[in-house]
């Protein structure tokens, strides 16, 4: 369940939490239905944005949902899940990029992958995922070659990068890949006029994904002596923050040009939650009222990068128009930084080493079977060992009614 857009159910509300979970389950089931149980390992939060964007542009008269059977991650309950070409495109993109990531770990000899038998098995899994992604992409008219080309070019660019190399040169392959995936959602939804602005939004989203991953891994990479784009190019954290803030603002402006049928969830994820992702990576995480300590909550504090965000829908009207509210303005003063207070995050913990590929797979299934991916207030990422939030945790309820029938979260 990796990804940088990890919303909290308190900020999404009941309606959008249900929709978000429908897309998450839809991506997981599309992977299982087309490519088998093992493919579900590549389910990720960012990949479901492809499904969200496709549905947000689609005619609501179509069959966008189906009822899925009982699942352990939902407490053996049925659920309405997203279906169709958007979920299949999300699955194709997730498979191709996961295949590339496994090959990258094999090339680096990470963990157990340094052993030849394990590396050989991992290469076969990666090859199978890559071929499966190609088939799924072709089925929905998407040429995954642009993703494969971006991955292949990334290694060469990183090899040549050094002090003084613009950081945007390093992020370009990721930007190109995400731009193509975002743009194709317009084709699937039958709105080709949206392809241009969505490609721009995707390009900036890819830039953010690369930058925030580099920021979050900076300490661990320094300790392990691993390559990091910020260190290699001599890019400061202040410059990385400036580029990240500009990218978030650019995504909002690009979305203003998109013709949506129902923009609600896409707006929340790509405007509000994207801002929170930046704040989280740089240690200025906004805290929603439901997660503040103490019986009466905690007053919002001024963070080092900005002030207290306002009501994201204050003033009504077009959610992407300028003016007040979370979507109005740029920067962080009245910006688009989520709901509730805005205070500094917890002090960073000493970085732990990454788990190997197979050890991470084992931990992933353990987290799945114990429902921690859904209900835990905080858990350790199966591969990265970074702290994550349960996707539908609820710390204010008397019992856990989100995804498992237990007496308390």
């Amino acid at each position: 369940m990796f990804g940088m857009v990890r919303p909290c159910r308190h900020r999404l509300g009941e309606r959008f939490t249900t929709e978000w979970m429908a897309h998450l389950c839809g991506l997981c089931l599309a992977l299982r239905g087309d490519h088998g149980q093992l493919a579900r390992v590549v389910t990720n939060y960012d990949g479901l944005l492809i499904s969200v964007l496709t549905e947000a542009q689609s005619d609501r008269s179509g069959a966008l949902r189906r009822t899925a059977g009982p699942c352990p991650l939902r407490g053996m309950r049925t659920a309405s899940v997203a279906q169709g070409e958007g979920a299949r495109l999300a699955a194709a993109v997730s498979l191709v990029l996961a295949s590339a990531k496994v090959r990258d770990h094999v090339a680096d000899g990470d963990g157990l992958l340094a052993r030849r038998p394990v590396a050989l098995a991992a290469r076969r899994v990666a090859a199978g995922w890559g071929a499966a992604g190609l088939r799924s992409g072709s089925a929905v008219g998407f040429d995954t070659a642009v993703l494969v080309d971006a991955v292949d070019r990334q290694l060469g660019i990183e090899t040549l990068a050094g002090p003084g190399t613009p950081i945007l040169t390093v992020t370009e392959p990721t930007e190109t890949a995400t731009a193509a995936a975002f743009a194709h959602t317009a084709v699937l939804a039958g709105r080709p006029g949206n392809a241009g602005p969505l490609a721009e939004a995707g390009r900036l989203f890819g830039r953010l994904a690369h930058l925030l991953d580099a920021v979050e891994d900076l300490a661990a990479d320094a300790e392990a002596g691993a390559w990091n784009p910020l260190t290699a190019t001599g890019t400061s954290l202040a410059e990385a923050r400036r580029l990240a803030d500009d990218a978030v603002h650019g995504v909002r402006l690009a979305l203003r040009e998109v013709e949506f049928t129902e923009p609600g969830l896409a707006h929340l994820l790509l405007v509000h939650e994207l801002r929170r992702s930046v704040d989280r990576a740089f240690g200025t995480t906004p805290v929603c009222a439901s997660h503040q300590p103490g019986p009466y909550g905690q007053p919002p504090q001024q963070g080092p990068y900005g002030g207290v965000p306002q009501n994201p829908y204050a003033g009504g009207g077009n959610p992407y128009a300028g003016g007040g509210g979370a979507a109005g303005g740029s920067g962080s003063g009245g910006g688009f930084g989520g709901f509730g207070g805005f205070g500094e995050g917890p002090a960073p913990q000493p970085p732990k080493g990454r788990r190997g590929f197979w050890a991470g797979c084992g931990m992933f299934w353990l987290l799945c079977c114990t429902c921690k991916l859904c209900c835990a207030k905080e858990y350790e990422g199966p591969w990265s060992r970074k702290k994550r939030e349960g996707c539908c945790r609820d710390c204010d309820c008397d019992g856990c009614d989100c995804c498992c029938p237990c007496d308390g979260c």
Side-chain angles (χ1 to χ4, degrees):
M1 297 290 190
F2 53 92
M4 66 175 177
V5 181
R6 305 192 295 272
C8 166
R9 67 178 298 169
H10 296 106
R11 296 186 303 275
L12 290 183
E14 182 178 354
R15 172 194 167 192
F16 290 126
T17 296
T18 301
E19 288 191 21
W20 185 80
M21 288 297 297
H23 288 284
L24 183 63
C25 291
L27 170 57
C28 180
L29 293 175
L31 287 164
R32 185 202 66 180
D34 291 344
H35 311 294
Q37 292 285 357
L38 181 60
R40 301 171 82 175
V41 173
V42 308
T43 302
N44 66 92
Y45 295 146
D46 292 347
L48 69 87
L49 290 172
I50 302 296
S51 179
V52 170
L53 283 172
T54 303
E55 185 176 289
Q57 302 169 75
S58 300
D59 185 355
R60 293 283 160 165
S61 62
L64 302 177
R65 293 281 190 273
R66 71 178 180 88
T67 300
C71 174
L73 295 182
R74 294 191 299 268
M76 300 308 295
R77 290 179 294 185
T78 61
S80 175
V81 303
Q83 66 170 349
E85 294 184 329
R88 298 185 70 187
L89 175 61
V93 172
S94 297
L95 282 166
V96 172
L97 296 183
S99 170
K101 194 167 186 66
V102 171
R103 293 200 307 269
D104 184 55
H105 284 307
V106 171
D108 292 341
D110 293 337
L112 291 175
L113 295 176
R115 301 178 181 179
R116 293 187 63 183
V118 178
L120 179 61
R123 286 194 188 97
R124 290 180 176 174
V125 170
W129 283 350
L134 177 61
R135 292 195 302 271
S136 287
S138 298
V140 294
F142 180 65
D143 185 4
T144 58
V146 65
L147 306 183
V148 176
D149 176 69
V151 171
D152 291 342
R153 287 189 296 110
Q154 187 72 53
L155 180 60
I157 291 174
E158 291 180 357
T159 302
L160 297 175
T165 301
I167 187 66
L168 297 187
T169 300
V170 180
T171 64
E172 181 274 325
T174 308
E175 295 178 22
T176 300
T178 50
F182 273 46
H184 196 69
T185 64
V187 177
L188 296 182
R191 297 183 183 269
N194 288 341
L198 283 174
E200 176 65 7
R203 182 180 67 82
L204 295 171
F205 183 88
R207 177 182 300 179
L208 268 174
H210 205 131
L211 283 173
L212 299 190
D213 184 65
V215 170
E216 291 180 342
D217 291 346
L218 190 58
D221 287 345
E223 183 181 23
W227 193 91
N228 185 285
L230 299 181
T231 305
T233 60
T235 303
S236 67
L237 283 175
E239 175 64 10
R241 176 73 195 220
R242 185 188 68 80
L243 291 171
D245 287 339
D246 286 348
V248 172
H249 184 57
V251 169
R252 181 181 67 85
L253 294 178
L255 292 178
R256 292 177 61 182
E257 307 301 321
V258 179
E259 183 181 353
F260 287 115
T261 302
E262 175 50 63
L265 182 59
H267 170 76
L268 282 172
L269 296 179
L270 288 171
V271 177
H272 301 285
E273 293 302 328
L274 209 53
R275 166 60 61 184
R276 282 186 59 89
S277 299
V278 174
D279 291 325
R280 184 188 304 115
F282 285 92
T284 56
T285 308
V287 181
C288 71
S290 298
H291 294 158
Q292 291 175 342
Y296 303 106
Q298 175 179 319
Q301 298 177 352
Q302 177 84 8
Y305 293 101
V308 181
Q310 307 300 316
N311 181 349
Y313 294 110
N318 183 349
Y320 303 113
S330 61
S332 52
F336 19 87
F339 299 67
F342 186 68
E344 295 196 42
Q349 300 297 317
K352 299 180 181 179
R354 294 178 59 90
R355 289 190 180 92
F357 175 74
W358 294 111
C361 287
M363 181 56 65
F364 171 81
W365 287 114
L366 177 63
L367 291 171
C368 283
C369 293
T370 57
C371 285
K372 287 189 176 181
L373 288 175
C374 295
C375 301
K377 293 183 178 179
E378 188 175 72
Y379 65 90
E380 195 176 74
W383 287 277
S384 68
R385 305 188 76 152
K386 297 175 185 175
K387 295 299 182 183
R388 306 291 191 192
E389 297 177 357
C391 61
C392 56
R393 65 179 187 164
D394 190 347
C395 58
D396 284 347
C397 58
D398 295 328
C400 180
D401 60 353
C402 46
C403 50
C404 61
C406 54
D407 292 331
C409 293

